[in-house]
Amino acid sequence: MIREARSADQRRLEAIQTTALDEPWPELLEVAVDGPPLVLVLDDGGVVAYALVVPDHPVAYLAEFAVAPPAQGRGYGTRLMDGLLDRLRSRGFETVRLTAREDDERARGFYETFEFAVADRIEGHYDDGDGVVLTLTL
C-alpha cells in the first residue's frame, strides 16, 4: 500500500535513509514527515521505501527516494515510483525533477526506465562527485 507518511513512521524512515542513501539529510526528513513536503511510503506490512517530494507547482522536486537495502531488487522501488507519478499527475504537476550522482549507473538506469532524461550536469554537487539533473514531463 502506498500512503502518505505519518509521524509514527519517523524512526523507520530515518533507518531507511541512513542505510540506503550515500548522503542522508536527516533534517529534511524530520521536517517533511509532517509536511508541507510530500512523503509517500510503501507499506508492505511495514515501511520498506519512501519518496520525499518538495512541491513547487507545477514542478515536483524528488529530493529523496529510498528503498531499505534488504528490500531492494524486489520491485518496491518500481511500485513506489508508479504510485508517486500517478499521485503527482492527479495533483496537476507537470514536471518531476531530481538530482542523481553522475556515476551512479544503477540509480540512473532505474530513473531512465520511467523516461527521466538528463537535463543538466552539476559539477561538484556531491562531496565526492558530480551530479546530474534528471527531469520527467508528466
Side-chain angles (χ1 to χ4, degrees):
M1 162 180 53
I2 296 172
R3 62 173 173 80
E4 291 194 24
R6 301 183 280 248
S7 296
D9 297 321
Q10 185 74 36
R11 286 189 186 170
R12 180 64 184 142
L13 295 174
E14 289 170 356
I16 294 171
Q17 183 189 53
T18 57
T19 58
L21 300 179
D22 290 334
E23 293 184 22
W25 189 2
E27 298 83 9
L28 178 61
L29 184 57
E30 184 177 315
V31 171
V33 169
D34 293 321
L38 172 65
V39 180
L40 290 183
V41 299
L42 193 148
D43 188 333
D44 189 31
V47 175
V48 296
Y50 76 91
L52 190 158
V53 176
V54 178
D56 186 16
H57 217 276
V59 177
Y61 181 73
L62 180 56
E64 292 187 357
F65 190 91
V67 177
Q72 291 177 2
R74 297 169 61 190
Y76 291 119
T78 298
R79 283 177 47 199
L80 180 57
M81 182 62 77
D82 284 338
L84 172 65
L85 296 177
D86 287 346
R87 185 152 313 183
L88 293 173
R89 280 185 196 99
S90 72
R91 293 184 178 186
F93 285 91
E94 297 172 6
T95 305
V96 181
R97 296 175 64 92
L98 65 93
T99 305
R101 292 177 178 279
E102 184 176 44
D103 62 356
D104 189 341
E105 293 177 21
R106 182 176 179 204
R108 289 183 58 185
F110 173 77
Y111 294 123
E112 287 169 3
T113 65
F114 295 93
E115 300 184 9
F116 280 86
V118 175
D120 199 5
R121 182 175 181 273
I122 308 170
E123 191 171 322
H125 182 71
Y126 295 97
D127 290 340
D128 61 352
D130 300 329
V132 289
V133 176
L134 302 173
T135 62
L136 173 68
T137 302
L138 295 175

